[in-house]
Amino acid sequence: MTQPAAAPGRARQNAIYSAGVFGHHPSVPADFAELERRAEKAMGPRGWAYIAGGAGEGATMRANRSAFDRWAIVPRVLRDVSRRDLSVDLFGTTLPAPILFSPVGAGELAHPDSDLHIGRAAADLGVPYIFSNQGCNPMEDVAAAMEAVTPGAPRWFQLYWSTDDALVDSLVRRAETMGAQAIVVTLDTTMLGWRPQDLNIGSLPFARAEGIAQYTSDPRFREIVAERIANPSADAGPKVEITRAAVSALFSMARHLPGSLLSNLRSPVPKQSVQTFLDIYSRPSLSWDDIAGLQKRTSLPVVLKGILHPDDARHAVDLGIDGIIVSNHGGRQVDGSISSLDALPDVVEAVDGRAKVLIDSGIYTGSDAFKALALGADAVCIGRPHMYGLAINGRDGARDAVANIIAELDLTLGLSGHTDIASLTPDVLRNMGCDHRVR
Ligand SMILES: Cc1cc2nc3c(=O)[nH]c(=O)nc-3n(C[C@H](O)[C@H](O)[C@H](O)COP(=O)(O)O)c2cc1C
Ligand SMILES: O=C(O)C(=O)c1ccccc1
């Protein structure tokens, strides 16, 4: 029997091997270790520190990876796996695979116009791109770029809850208008974690106006900036020194700022935009009441990102939340945190089918995705791999880094004796209790 066109594993292998006959190399390496090495070479030191870096001594990042090694797949044979279906339903949309692009801010450190390229990469694959609130391109531009590739290409919006509620409303309205299918509220970054790689070189992308395009393109944000310029005493919060690079980065986004102000190079707008962002982007006082309020303010499904404790998961579903992303932010926030995979089974049990459960942090291969799905995730989100692909080869690199994970997931599914995602349960794994891989 011929393989259906939708089987991504063999199609991808065939494409790579066939191109190899003509001396063409794939756009990105097929394994994570080499992907990471090549990305480091492709990025500048500030980009590498920010994107690859983690919290503290890196224990959470290591835990995210080693958790996968404690679970072993126990393959079954002779089950006719010639036809496989990776599709899953999420909030009324059928996805070709249970995979999403995690929201990643300040991506321009890896590649100019990062979000446009990632958006096109996600649209190529037909899997959702969760736009970051700390994006480098306004969400409307990214949505348009995705539409140009595939009309209706799925996209979600990730929100950081500002101290200014009118800004929250404005961002949510814009997300609804640009066609977002869900709002993801990130809960684990109300303050920036302790990040030695960035601290050691004194680098905070946002202080250089990297990753603030959703703000500088927002009418409410501009209003706040204008108010602060008119009334400097309204200016609050710790001051940061705004570099010349930040000012020129903001001027390069000229079309998102009032032209009259930009025509004057001594304009206070760029400096005030950066300072305003730093002052208001996040509210550490955020509580469950705010989340309940948000559900009343949008018709879109609300997904909470950064949940690790089953009681928080229970609280979320009791409020009628539509989805949860089990995540420790890729190990970038709390050093010594539980890994996402270790947190997953208890969260799945607490949610008990009342909401969708997604996971990210340390999912770098198709085998990792298989294990997370078997432990009860409805879908998995991919963070650094797509950023590394982007750094190495732009849109094609971002696309192929994720295409490789989908391809390996498809092959792992079939080679383990399964033909669809729904049939994956914890029974397909064995807990080995400790690292069992021979390295
Ligand atoms: C460079 C970088 C920037 C990130 N920016 C955001 C962000 O703006 N919003 C957010 O919710 N998560 C952000 N995250 C976290 C990711 O969404 C995701 O949780 C994490 O990358 C998953 O871990 P992984 O990189 O090991 O796959 C960022 C992660 C990285 C690596
Ligand atoms: O770097 C991050 O992981 C991130 O999500 C973030 C978002 C806003 C401000 C600082 C960091």
Side-chain angles (χ1 to χ4, degrees), residues 50-53 64 102-106 132-135 158 160 184 186 188-189 195 206 305 327-332 360-364 381-385 387:
Y50 179 65
I51 295 170
N64 282 341
S102 290
V104 171
S132 168
N133 205 155
Q134 313 303 115
Q158 174 263 321
Y160 277 125
V184 175
T186 298
D188 57 15
T189 316
R195 300 189 181 168
F206 313 101
K305 176 170 184 279
S327 171
N328 57 32
H329 213 96
R332 298 162 67 79
D360 76 15
S361 300
I363 298 170
Y364 297 159
C381 310
I382 309 296
R384 291 187 185 83
M387 293 309 292

Side-chain angles (χ1 to χ4, degrees), residues 46 49-51 195-205 332:
R46 282 200 315 112
Y50 179 65
I51 295 170
R195 300 189 181 168
Q197 287 89 342
D198 291 333
L199 290 164
N200 289 344
I201 56 172
S203 170
L204 177 67
R332 298 162 67 79

